[in-house]
């Protein structure tokens, strides 16, 4: 009985679970081929830190693709904004926090500008953002022309891409000596919160008299997700604990997840993606939504630029090269549909991790870069083929 | 009577849930101009699509005989080869290409590997001469008026050596001069031995040009009339077109119409940049509280443009005129503004621009008024579910759950979801554009009952429809629309199908 329920549940949600399964499979393969090095806490920590600057771009890109547009300018925009932050700190004497705010604000403005060209002027997003790609590439070269690579001296700023959350117990304490206690605590809190929230939702729905899943199924789901969260926490706590990058990405994902699933704005974004004409006739301003989505994309470029500059502890003349394509690939692997209206930010996060896992795993295996590109391309095609065929099977 | 050049025998064509053609037979004598008339949805265009191979052999039952030889067209290419050319209502020209390129598109004259430009232009010029179009063949199509584009379309068909030319409402978008010119050219083609089949809603021009007229109604042939024997007149045609009696498919209601005017539109003139012409001119109408006002008009008469221009003008028309809701003058800059003032619009084509097909019932129902369910921008998910469940029950929407994706529902249930969305904004005036198109009789009855209930509760309804029985069965008052003008206003007690048809085709 339970198994039958489980099977139908998996089958009907195969699209949603597909990339989780893919991630597990990919991680499993690399763990075997690298003799366990891949799944080590140290490697996973590195992997997640490398994913950060692509993940935030992929999250912004998700919404852009959902409303049937594309933004090619994000790579060099993020490189340019990273350079701006570096210059603000070194040449203009900005404190780190002010430099960060400046990069985020400029990013948002740049995004709004692209959005304006697309929404109000009616230029295809591909062209408008291709122009942005050229312009920001030039701008990046221009601001780094005299200095070349700019070394960032701020410890605070560099910690964003390289540092970890401090622990609550002294490092040499005898209590769980090899684990990062604060990370464990966060993990445990997350598990408790998740279970509590799920129970409350279920109870709420019951008081309204709505249908809820069978209690066995419900408990199984809770147990399963709790175990997965626990394992992830354990692995992350095994090295230096949660990095600032991971913390920032998680906060961004949570905010975007909340906005896209729970708010009027989120629903309007998906309505515009699903059928712009119907949305407009239902009183949703397609222009406004387009502006907001591109503005958010710009904000994410700022964040991505900061994460990348901080990770390298410097701003380089080539920062951001090809980030746009990595972000777009991550979003597609994560299940975003080019036809519009379909795609989750959590999916894109997983997509970004899948994409970076491929890089990380193949690097560990010593795979030649030429083969790496080919395999990444094949995975991208496979993901989209999967997406298209499951959608066709459904309708 | 000479042997027919074309004969269609016992053609039956069904779409899922609808029988579009049922046992239709149709004969055309060589060199005749044969007109096909009937209401919207009578099956005229479907019949022509069967003939031209758009619906391939096997997709329908029945036989097509061309000069007594049976034909099995698997596609347009087959019917073209057999000498049948079709010109659709929507022109199929590439605007940015030249006239000669368009004429020879798909049949390019080649000189080895490349297109032989000189031969192409020569042939195109010949064809243009046939349609009496005196222009440089290197002109781009987009620089021509609609009338000339229509002629280029005919020249294109002629370049294929057609013996039978099908024209689907060729004059719908033309002004009177272009119309006269087109009819002259058809006569000239007739002298050259080309047989023409023309679908038209404009009965006056049918009477002017037709040798034979076939009337279709509800997917069946009603009769074929011969002009030479004096059988064809407007009255006769209208009688055959509407033909049926109005039965009990329209639920009765007690009328509670107040004198208060809820929606008042004055001197409404609308210019469409897209079409490059004025689509509505000096339109005046009003709607009272608790009233169902019917708008009768054929496709392309401007009725949908009227609804959309009033409803916040999403198409960006240039508009002159005034609109007032409950006596307060309004200027709607976008649909949101119209909705906020209590005007709602259920679109003509629910799939294209009414619903978000990939989303579920719940999301579609609440879309237009999501804000009312939210506090600080966060949607109350349970409240939303409750609203959707309420409408599902109230409108008897048949769906396994409100989480079902709308694309999987039947047409009638999709329409109910569409209506539910607009009821949830609690409008004062509900504009329904073809509310029962493509849905079955049972669902129609439910929609009618719902309309009655709504006006009973004090709502006002504007119903745009090309189905005359529906207009007569549901309306309290009727406006007829033709060529962008209101051509008549009838109280229900004075209205008959014949009168409406006459006004709507004038």
């Amino acid at each position: 009985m339970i198994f039958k329920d489980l099977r139908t549940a998996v089958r009907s949600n195969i699209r949603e679970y597909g990339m989780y399964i893919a991630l597990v499979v990919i991680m499993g393969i690399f763990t075997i081929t690298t003799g366990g090095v891949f799944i080590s806490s140290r490697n996973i920590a590195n992997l997640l830190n490398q994913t950060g600057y692509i993940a935030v771009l992929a999250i912004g890109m998700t919404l852009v693709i959902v409303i049937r547009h594309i933004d090619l300018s994000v790579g060099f925009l993020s490189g340019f904004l990273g350079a701006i932050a570096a210059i603000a700190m070194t040449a203009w004497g900005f404190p780190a926090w002010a430099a960060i705010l400046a990069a985020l604000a400029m990013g948002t403005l740049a995004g709004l500008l692209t959005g304006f060209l697309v929404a109000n002027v009616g230029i295809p997003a591909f062209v408008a953002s291709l122009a942005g790609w050229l312009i920001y590439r030039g701008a990046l070269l221009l601001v780094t022309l005299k200095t070349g690579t700019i070394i960032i001296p701020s410890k605070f700023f560099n910690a964003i891409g390289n540092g970890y959350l401090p622990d609550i117990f002294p490092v040499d304490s005898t209590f769980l000596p090899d684990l990062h206690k604060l990370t464990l605590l966060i993990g445990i809190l997350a598990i408790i919160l998740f279970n509590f929230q799920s129970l409350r939702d279920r109870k709420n729905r019951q008081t309204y008299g709505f249908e809820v899943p069978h209690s066995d199924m419900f408990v199984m789901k809770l147990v399963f997700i709790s175990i997965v969260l626990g394992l992830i926490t354990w692995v992350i706590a095994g090295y230096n604990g949660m990095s600032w990058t991971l913390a920032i990405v998680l906060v961004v994902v949570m905010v975007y997840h909340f906005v896209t699933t729970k708010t009027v704005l989120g629903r309007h974004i998906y309505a515009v993606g699903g059928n712009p004409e119907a949305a407009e006739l239902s009183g949703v301003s397609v222009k406004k939504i387009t502006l907001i989505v591109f503005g958010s994309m710009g904000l994410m470029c700022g964040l991505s630029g900061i994460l990348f500059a901080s990770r390298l502890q410097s701003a380089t003349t080539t920062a951001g090269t090809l980030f746009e394509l990595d972000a777009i690939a991550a979003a597609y692997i994560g299940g975003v549909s080019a036809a519009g209206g379909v795609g989750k930010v959590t999916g894109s996060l997983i997509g970004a991790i899948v994409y970076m896992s491929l890089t990380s795993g193949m690097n560990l295996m010593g795979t030649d870069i030429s083969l790496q590109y080919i395999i990444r391309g094949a995975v991208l095609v496979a993901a989209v083929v999967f997406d298209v065929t499951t959608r066709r099977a459904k309708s | 009577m000479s042997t027919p050049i074309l004969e269609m025998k016992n053609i039956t064509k069904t779409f899922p849930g609808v029988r579009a053609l049922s046992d239709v037979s149709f004969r055309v004598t060589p060199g005749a101009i044969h007109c096909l008339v009937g209401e919207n949805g009578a099956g005229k265009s479907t019949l022509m699509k069967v003939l031209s191979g758009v619906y391939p052999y096997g997709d329908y039952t029945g036989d097509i005989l061309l000069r007594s030889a049976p034909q099995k067209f698997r596609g347009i290419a087959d019917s073209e080869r057999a000498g049948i050319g079709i010109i659709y209502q929507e022109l199929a020209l590439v605007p940015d290409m030249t006239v000669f390129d368009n004429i020879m598109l798909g049949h390019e004259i080649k000189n080895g590997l490349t297109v032989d430009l000189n031969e192409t232009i020569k042939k195109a010029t010949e064809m243009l001469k046939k349609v009496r179009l005196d222009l440089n063949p290197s002109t781009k199509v987009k620089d021509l008026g609609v009338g000339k584009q229509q002629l280029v379309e005919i020249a294109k068909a002629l370049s294929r050596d057609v013996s039978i030319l099908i024209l689907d409402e060729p004059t719908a978008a033309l002004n009177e001069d272009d119309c006269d010119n087109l009819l002259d050219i058809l006569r000239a083609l007739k002298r050259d031995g080309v047989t023409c089949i023309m679908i038209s809603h404009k009965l006056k021009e049918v009477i002017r040009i037709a040798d034979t007229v076939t009337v279709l109604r509800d997917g069946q042939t009603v009769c074929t009339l011969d002009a030479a024997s004096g059988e064809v007149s407007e009255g006769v045609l209208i009688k055959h077109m509407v033909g049926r009696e109005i039965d009990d498919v329209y639920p009765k209601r007690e009328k509670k119409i107040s004198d208060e005017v809820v929606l008042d539109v004055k001197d409404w003139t609308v210019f469409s940049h897209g079409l490059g012409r004025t689509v509505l001119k000096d339109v005046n109408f009003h709607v009272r509280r608790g009233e169902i006002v019917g708008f009768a008009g054929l496709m392309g008469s401007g009725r949908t443009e009227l609804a959309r221009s009033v409803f916040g003008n999403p198409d960006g028309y240039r508009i002159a005129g005034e609109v007032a809701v409950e006596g307060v003058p309004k200027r709607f800059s976008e649909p949101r503004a119209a909705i906020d003032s209590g005007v709602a619009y259920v679109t003509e084509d629910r799939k294209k621009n009414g619903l978000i097909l990939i989303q579920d019932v719940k999301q579609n129902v609440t879309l237009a008024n999501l804000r009312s369910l939210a506090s600080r921008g966060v949607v109350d998910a349970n409240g939303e579910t409750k609203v959707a469940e309420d409408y599902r029950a109230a409108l008897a929407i048949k769906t396994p759950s409100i989480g079902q994706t709308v694309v999987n529902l039947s047409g009638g249930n999709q329409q109910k979801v569409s209506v539910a969305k607009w009821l949830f904004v609690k409008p004062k005036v509900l504009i329904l554009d073809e509310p029962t198109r493509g849905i079955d009789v049972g669902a129609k009855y439910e929609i009618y009952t719902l309309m009655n209930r709504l006006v009973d509760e004090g709502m006002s309804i504007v119903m745009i429809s090309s189905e005359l029985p529906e207009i007569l069965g549901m309306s309290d008052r009727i406006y007829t629309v033709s060529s962008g003008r209101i051509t008549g206003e009838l109280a229900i007690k004075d209205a008959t199908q014949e009168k409406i048809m006459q006004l709507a085709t004038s």
Side-chain angles (χ1 to χ4, degrees), chain A residues 262-264 267 275 281-283, chain B residues 336 352-353 355 377 379 384 421-422:
Chain A
K262 307 277 185 207
T263 67
V264 174
R267 295 282 294 277
N275 187 342
L281 287 173
S282 300
Chain B
R336 180 85 259 158
K352 183 165 160 265
N353 51 26
L355 295 166
V379 180
E384 185 188 14
K421 170 169 86 176
W422 291 109

mmCIF file with all atom_site columns, all heavy atoms in Angstrom, chain A residues 262-264 267 275 281-283, chain B residues 336 352-353 355 377 379 384 421-422:
data_model
loop_
_atom_site.group_PDB
_atom_site.id
_atom_site.type_symbol
_atom_site.label_atom_id
_atom_site.label_alt_id
_atom_site.label_comp_id
_atom_site.label_asym_id
_atom_site.label_entity_id
_atom_site.label_seq_id
_atom_site.pdbx_PDB_ins_code
_atom_site.Cartn_x
_atom_site.Cartn_y
_atom_site.Cartn_z
_atom_site.occupancy
_atom_site.B_iso_or_equiv
_atom_site.pdbx_formal_charge
_atom_site.auth_seq_id
_atom_site.auth_comp_id
_atom_site.auth_asym_id
_atom_site.auth_atom_id
_atom_site.pdbx_PDB_model_num
ATOM 1   N N   . LYS A 1 262 ? 5.460   31.935 -2.285  1.00 0.00 ? 262 LYS A N   1
ATOM 2   C CA  . LYS A 1 262 ? 4.461   32.380 -1.301  1.00 0.00 ? 262 LYS A CA  1
ATOM 3   C C   . LYS A 1 262 ? 3.870   33.757 -1.574  1.00 0.00 ? 262 LYS A C   1
ATOM 4   O O   . LYS A 1 262 ? 2.891   34.121 -0.946  1.00 0.00 ? 262 LYS A O   1
ATOM 5   C CB  . LYS A 1 262 ? 5.083   32.414 0.100   1.00 0.00 ? 262 LYS A CB  1
ATOM 6   C CG  . LYS A 1 262 ? 5.756   31.140 0.533   1.00 0.00 ? 262 LYS A CG  1
ATOM 7   C CD  . LYS A 1 262 ? 4.763   30.150 1.093   1.00 0.00 ? 262 LYS A CD  1
ATOM 8   C CE  . LYS A 1 262 ? 5.491   28.936 1.630   1.00 0.00 ? 262 LYS A CE  1
ATOM 9   N NZ  . LYS A 1 262 ? 4.655   27.728 1.602   1.00 0.00 ? 262 LYS A NZ  1
ATOM 10  N N   . THR A 1 263 ? 4.474   34.524 -2.440  1.00 0.00 ? 263 THR A N   1
ATOM 11  C CA  . THR A 1 263 ? 4.014   35.914 -2.543  1.00 0.00 ? 263 THR A CA  1
ATOM 12  C C   . THR A 1 263 ? 3.263   36.190 -3.852  1.00 0.00 ? 263 THR A C   1
ATOM 13  O O   . THR A 1 263 ? 3.354   35.426 -4.809  1.00 0.00 ? 263 THR A O   1
ATOM 14  C CB  . THR A 1 263 ? 5.201   36.897 -2.478  1.00 0.00 ? 263 THR A CB  1
ATOM 15  O OG1 . THR A 1 263 ? 5.993   36.712 -3.642  1.00 0.00 ? 263 THR A OG1 1
ATOM 16  C CG2 . THR A 1 263 ? 6.049   36.673 -1.240  1.00 0.00 ? 263 THR A CG2 1
ATOM 17  N N   . VAL A 1 264 ? 2.547   37.285 -3.836  1.00 0.00 ? 264 VAL A N   1
ATOM 18  C CA  . VAL A 1 264 ? 1.816   37.733 -5.029  1.00 0.00 ? 264 VAL A CA  1
ATOM 19  C C   . VAL A 1 264 ? 2.798   37.979 -6.162  1.00 0.00 ? 264 VAL A C   1
ATOM 20  O O   . VAL A 1 264 ? 2.573   37.573 -7.302  1.00 0.00 ? 264 VAL A O   1
ATOM 21  C CB  . VAL A 1 264 ? 1.034   39.027 -4.713  1.00 0.00 ? 264 VAL A CB  1
ATOM 22  C CG1 . VAL A 1 264 ? 0.394   39.571 -5.972  1.00 0.00 ? 264 VAL A CG1 1
ATOM 23  C CG2 . VAL A 1 264 ? -0.017  38.764 -3.648  1.00 0.00 ? 264 VAL A CG2 1
ATOM 24  N N   . ARG A 1 267 ? 3.879   34.783 -7.799  1.00 0.00 ? 267 ARG A N   1
ATOM 25  C CA  . ARG A 1 267 ? 2.826   34.195 -8.623  1.00 0.00 ? 267 ARG A CA  1
ATOM 26  C C   . ARG A 1 267 ? 2.646   34.973 -9.920  1.00 0.00 ? 267 ARG A C   1
ATOM 27  O O   . ARG A 1 267 ? 2.385   34.406 -10.974 1.00 0.00 ? 267 ARG A O   1
ATOM 28  C CB  . ARG A 1 267 ? 1.530   34.151 -7.817  1.00 0.00 ? 267 ARG A CB  1
ATOM 29  C CG  . ARG A 1 267 ? 1.651   33.211 -6.620  1.00 0.00 ? 267 ARG A CG  1
ATOM 30  C CD  . ARG A 1 267 ? 1.512   31.786 -7.066  1.00 0.00 ? 267 ARG A CD  1
ATOM 31  N NE  . ARG A 1 267 ? 0.163   31.638 -7.535  1.00 0.00 ? 267 ARG A NE  1
ATOM 32  C CZ  . ARG A 1 267 ? -0.855  31.404 -6.717  1.00 0.00 ? 267 ARG A CZ  1
ATOM 33  N NH1 . ARG A 1 267 ? -0.648  31.212 -5.450  1.00 0.00 ? 267 ARG A NH1 1
ATOM 34  N NH2 . ARG A 1 267 ? -2.060  31.332 -7.187  1.00 0.00 ? 267 ARG A NH2 1
ATOM 35  N N   . ASN A 1 275 ? 1.826   32.634 -19.606 1.00 0.00 ? 275 ASN A N   1
ATOM 36  C CA  . ASN A 1 275 ? 1.046   33.204 -20.707 1.00 0.00 ? 275 ASN A CA  1
ATOM 37  C C   . ASN A 1 275 ? 0.978   34.722 -20.525 1.00 0.00 ? 275 ASN A C   1
ATOM 38  O O   . ASN A 1 275 ? 0.090   35.226 -19.848 1.00 0.00 ? 275 ASN A O   1
ATOM 39  C CB  . ASN A 1 275 ? -0.360  32.594 -20.720 1.00 0.00 ? 275 ASN A CB  1
ATOM 40  C CG  . ASN A 1 275 ? -1.153  33.024 -21.930 1.00 0.00 ? 275 ASN A CG  1
ATOM 41  O OD1 . ASN A 1 275 ? -0.828  34.004 -22.600 1.00 0.00 ? 275 ASN A OD1 1
ATOM 42  N ND2 . ASN A 1 275 ? -2.211  32.299 -22.228 1.00 0.00 ? 275 ASN A ND2 1
ATOM 43  N N   . LEU A 1 281 ? -4.021  40.564 -19.355 1.00 0.00 ? 281 LEU A N   1
ATOM 44  C CA  . LEU A 1 281 ? -5.482  40.735 -19.336 1.00 0.00 ? 281 LEU A CA  1
ATOM 45  C C   . LEU A 1 281 ? -6.065  40.426 -17.966 1.00 0.00 ? 281 LEU A C   1
ATOM 46  O O   . LEU A 1 281 ? -7.216  40.709 -17.709 1.00 0.00 ? 281 LEU A O   1
ATOM 47  C CB  . LEU A 1 281 ? -6.130  39.832 -20.391 1.00 0.00 ? 281 LEU A CB  1
ATOM 48  C CG  . LEU A 1 281 ? -5.944  40.283 -21.844 1.00 0.00 ? 281 LEU A CG  1
ATOM 49  C CD1 . LEU A 1 281 ? -6.466  39.239 -22.797 1.00 0.00 ? 281 LEU A CD1 1
ATOM 50  C CD2 . LEU A 1 281 ? -6.638  41.610 -22.084 1.00 0.00 ? 281 LEU A CD2 1
ATOM 51  N N   . SER A 1 282 ? -5.260  39.789 -17.092 1.00 0.00 ? 282 SER A N   1
ATOM 52  C CA  . SER A 1 282 ? -5.738  39.538 -15.737 1.00 0.00 ? 282 SER A CA  1
ATOM 53  C C   . SER A 1 282 ? -5.266  40.629 -14.794 1.00 0.00 ? 282 SER A C   1
ATOM 54  O O   . SER A 1 282 ? -5.346  40.484 -13.580 1.00 0.00 ? 282 SER A O   1
ATOM 55  C CB  . SER A 1 282 ? -5.243  38.181 -15.248 1.00 0.00 ? 282 SER A CB  1
ATOM 56  O OG  . SER A 1 282 ? -5.705  37.166 -16.091 1.00 0.00 ? 282 SER A OG  1
ATOM 57  N N   . GLY A 1 283 ? -4.733  41.700 -15.356 1.00 0.00 ? 283 GLY A N   1
ATOM 58  C CA  . GLY A 1 283 ? -4.345  42.830 -14.530 1.00 0.00 ? 283 GLY A CA  1
ATOM 59  C C   . GLY A 1 283 ? -2.932  42.765 -13.996 1.00 0.00 ? 283 GLY A C   1
ATOM 60  O O   . GLY A 1 283 ? -2.568  43.517 -13.111 1.00 0.00 ? 283 GLY A O   1
ATOM 61  N N   . ARG B 2 336 ? -5.512  46.391 -15.512 1.00 0.00 ? 336 ARG B N   1
ATOM 62  C CA  . ARG B 2 336 ? -5.621  46.491 -14.045 1.00 0.00 ? 336 ARG B CA  1
ATOM 63  C C   . ARG B 2 336 ? -6.586  47.601 -13.643 1.00 0.00 ? 336 ARG B C   1
ATOM 64  O O   . ARG B 2 336 ? -7.395  47.451 -12.734 1.00 0.00 ? 336 ARG B O   1
ATOM 65  C CB  . ARG B 2 336 ? -4.230  46.753 -13.475 1.00 0.00 ? 336 ARG B CB  1
ATOM 66  C CG  . ARG B 2 336 ? -4.144  46.893 -11.984 1.00 0.00 ? 336 ARG B CG  1
ATOM 67  C CD  . ARG B 2 336 ? -4.024  45.540 -11.310 1.00 0.00 ? 336 ARG B CD  1
ATOM 68  N NE  . ARG B 2 336 ? -5.306  45.115 -10.753 1.00 0.00 ? 336 ARG B NE  1
ATOM 69  C CZ  . ARG B 2 336 ? -5.591  43.854 -10.498 1.00 0.00 ? 336 ARG B CZ  1
ATOM 70  N NH1 . ARG B 2 336 ? -4.745  42.889 -10.760 1.00 0.00 ? 336 ARG B NH1 1
ATOM 71  N NH2 . ARG B 2 336 ? -6.759  43.522 -9.983  1.00 0.00 ? 336 ARG B NH2 1
ATOM 72  N N   . LYS B 2 352 ? -5.670  30.837 -25.797 1.00 0.00 ? 352 LYS B N   1
ATOM 73  C CA  . LYS B 2 352 ? -4.622  31.761 -26.224 1.00 0.00 ? 352 LYS B CA  1
ATOM 74  C C   . LYS B 2 352 ? -4.369  32.839 -25.179 1.00 0.00 ? 352 LYS B C   1
ATOM 75  O O   . LYS B 2 352 ? -3.234  33.081 -24.804 1.00 0.00 ? 352 LYS B O   1
ATOM 76  C CB  . LYS B 2 352 ? -5.020  32.397 -27.551 1.00 0.00 ? 352 LYS B CB  1
ATOM 77  C CG  . LYS B 2 352 ? -3.970  33.317 -28.119 1.00 0.00 ? 352 LYS B CG  1
ATOM 78  C CD  . LYS B 2 352 ? -4.255  33.626 -29.573 1.00 0.00 ? 352 LYS B CD  1
ATOM 79  C CE  . LYS B 2 352 ? -3.535  34.874 -29.999 1.00 0.00 ? 352 LYS B CE  1
ATOM 80  N NZ  . LYS B 2 352 ? -4.327  36.095 -29.915 1.00 0.00 ? 352 LYS B NZ  1
ATOM 81  N N   . ASN B 2 353 ? -5.419  33.468 -24.700 1.00 0.00 ? 353 ASN B N   1
ATOM 82  C CA  . ASN B 2 353 ? -5.157  34.570 -23.784 1.00 0.00 ? 353 ASN B CA  1
ATOM 83  C C   . ASN B 2 353 ? -6.102  34.644 -22.594 1.00 0.00 ? 353 ASN B C   1
ATOM 84  O O   . ASN B 2 353 ? -6.191  35.662 -21.928 1.00 0.00 ? 353 ASN B O   1
ATOM 85  C CB  . ASN B 2 353 ? -5.167  35.905 -24.544 1.00 0.00 ? 353 ASN B CB  1
ATOM 86  C CG  . ASN B 2 353 ? -6.410  36.062 -25.392 1.00 0.00 ? 353 ASN B CG  1
ATOM 87  O OD1 . ASN B 2 353 ? -7.439  35.467 -25.077 1.00 0.00 ? 353 ASN B OD1 1
ATOM 88  N ND2 . ASN B 2 353 ? -6.330  36.831 -26.443 1.00 0.00 ? 353 ASN B ND2 1
ATOM 89  N N   . LEU B 2 355 ? -6.464  31.733 -20.224 1.00 0.00 ? 355 LEU B N   1
ATOM 90  C CA  . LEU B 2 355 ? -5.969  30.924 -19.119 1.00 0.00 ? 355 LEU B CA  1
ATOM 91  C C   . LEU B 2 355 ? -4.463  30.751 -19.206 1.00 0.00 ? 355 LEU B C   1
ATOM 92  O O   . LEU B 2 355 ? -3.875  30.909 -20.265 1.00 0.00 ? 355 LEU B O   1
ATOM 93  C CB  . LEU B 2 355 ? -6.616  29.539 -19.178 1.00 0.00 ? 355 LEU B CB  1
ATOM 94  C CG  . LEU B 2 355 ? -8.119  29.493 -18.963 1.00 0.00 ? 355 LEU B CG  1
ATOM 95  C CD1 . LEU B 2 355 ? -8.676  28.147 -19.368 1.00 0.00 ? 355 LEU B CD1 1
ATOM 96  C CD2 . LEU B 2 355 ? -8.470  29.802 -17.524 1.00 0.00 ? 355 LEU B CD2 1
ATOM 97  N N   . GLY B 2 377 ? 1.898   41.159 0.812   1.00 0.00 ? 377 GLY B N   1
ATOM 98  C CA  . GLY B 2 377 ? 2.461   40.511 -0.360  1.00 0.00 ? 377 GLY B CA  1
ATOM 99  C C   . GLY B 2 377 ? 2.571   39.006 -0.271  1.00 0.00 ? 377 GLY B C   1
ATOM 100 O O   . GLY B 2 377 ? 2.936   38.358 -1.235  1.00 0.00 ? 377 GLY B O   1
ATOM 101 N N   . VAL B 2 379 ? 0.867   35.434 -0.030  1.00 0.00 ? 379 VAL B N   1
ATOM 102 C CA  . VAL B 2 379 ? -0.439  34.841 -0.312  1.00 0.00 ? 379 VAL B CA  1
ATOM 103 C C   . VAL B 2 379 ? -0.831  33.866 0.797   1.00 0.00 ? 379 VAL B C   1
ATOM 104 O O   . VAL B 2 379 ? -0.029  33.040 1.224   1.00 0.00 ? 379 VAL B O   1
ATOM 105 C CB  . VAL B 2 379 ? -0.403  34.084 -1.661  1.00 0.00 ? 379 VAL B CB  1
ATOM 106 C CG1 . VAL B 2 379 ? -1.756  33.465 -1.962  1.00 0.00 ? 379 VAL B CG1 1
ATOM 107 C CG2 . VAL B 2 379 ? 0.015   35.023 -2.775  1.00 0.00 ? 379 VAL B CG2 1
ATOM 108 N N   . GLU B 2 384 ? -6.559  30.761 -0.215  1.00 0.00 ? 384 GLU B N   1
ATOM 109 C CA  . GLU B 2 384 ? -6.618  30.626 -1.660  1.00 0.00 ? 384 GLU B CA  1
ATOM 110 C C   . GLU B 2 384 ? -7.284  29.295 -2.046  1.00 0.00 ? 384 GLU B C   1
ATOM 111 O O   . GLU B 2 384 ? -8.153  29.246 -2.917  1.00 0.00 ? 384 GLU B O   1
ATOM 112 C CB  . GLU B 2 384 ? -5.206  30.691 -2.242  1.00 0.00 ? 384 GLU B CB  1
ATOM 113 C CG  . GLU B 2 384 ? -5.209  30.686 -3.747  1.00 0.00 ? 384 GLU B CG  1
ATOM 114 C CD  . GLU B 2 384 ? -3.813  30.552 -4.331  1.00 0.00 ? 384 GLU B CD  1
ATOM 115 O OE1 . GLU B 2 384 ? -2.875  30.195 -3.601  1.00 0.00 ? 384 GLU B OE1 1
ATOM 116 O OE2 . GLU B 2 384 ? -3.684  30.789 -5.530  1.00 0.00 ? 384 GLU B OE2 1
ATOM 117 N N   . LYS B 2 421 ? -12.472 32.986 -12.573 1.00 0.00 ? 421 LYS B N   1
ATOM 118 C CA  . LYS B 2 421 ? -11.417 33.969 -12.334 1.00 0.00 ? 421 LYS B CA  1
ATOM 119 C C   . LYS B 2 421 ? -11.994 35.372 -12.260 1.00 0.00 ? 421 LYS B C   1
ATOM 120 O O   . LYS B 2 421 ? -11.618 36.166 -11.416 1.00 0.00 ? 421 LYS B O   1
ATOM 121 C CB  . LYS B 2 421 ? -10.383 33.887 -13.450 1.00 0.00 ? 421 LYS B CB  1
ATOM 122 C CG  . LYS B 2 421 ? -9.382  35.030 -13.429 1.00 0.00 ? 421 LYS B CG  1
ATOM 123 C CD  . LYS B 2 421 ? -8.225  34.795 -14.347 1.00 0.00 ? 421 LYS B CD  1
ATOM 124 C CE  . LYS B 2 421 ? -8.532  35.251 -15.747 1.00 0.00 ? 421 LYS B CE  1
ATOM 125 N NZ  . LYS B 2 421 ? -7.366  35.109 -16.623 1.00 0.00 ? 421 LYS B NZ  1
ATOM 126 N N   . TRP B 2 422 ? -12.939 35.631 -13.167 1.00 0.00 ? 422 TRP B N   1
ATOM 127 C CA  . TRP B 2 422 ? -13.479 36.987 -13.220 1.00 0.00 ? 422 TRP B CA  1
ATOM 128 C C   . TRP B 2 422 ? -14.560 37.230 -12.196 1.00 0.00 ? 422 TRP B C   1
ATOM 129 O O   . TRP B 2 422 ? -14.762 38.354 -11.768 1.00 0.00 ? 422 TRP B O   1
ATOM 130 C CB  . TRP B 2 422 ? -13.927 37.310 -14.637 1.00 0.00 ? 422 TRP B CB  1
ATOM 131 C CG  . TRP B 2 422 ? -12.720 37.421 -15.498 1.00 0.00 ? 422 TRP B CG  1
ATOM 132 C CD1 . TRP B 2 422 ? -12.304 36.553 -16.462 1.00 0.00 ? 422 TRP B CD1 1
ATOM 133 C CD2 . TRP B 2 422 ? -11.705 38.417 -15.395 1.00 0.00 ? 422 TRP B CD2 1
ATOM 134 N NE1 . TRP B 2 422 ? -11.102 36.964 -16.978 1.00 0.00 ? 422 TRP B NE1 1
ATOM 135 C CE2 . TRP B 2 422 ? -10.712 38.104 -16.333 1.00 0.00 ? 422 TRP B CE2 1
ATOM 136 C CE3 . TRP B 2 422 ? -11.531 39.552 -14.592 1.00 0.00 ? 422 TRP B CE3 1
ATOM 137 C CZ2 . TRP B 2 422 ? -9.565  38.871 -16.501 1.00 0.00 ? 422 TRP B CZ2 1
ATOM 138 C CZ3 . TRP B 2 422 ? -10.392 40.322 -14.760 1.00 0.00 ? 422 TRP B CZ3 1
ATOM 139 C CH2 . TRP B 2 422 ? -9.434  39.975 -15.709 1.00 0.00 ? 422 TRP B CH2 1
#
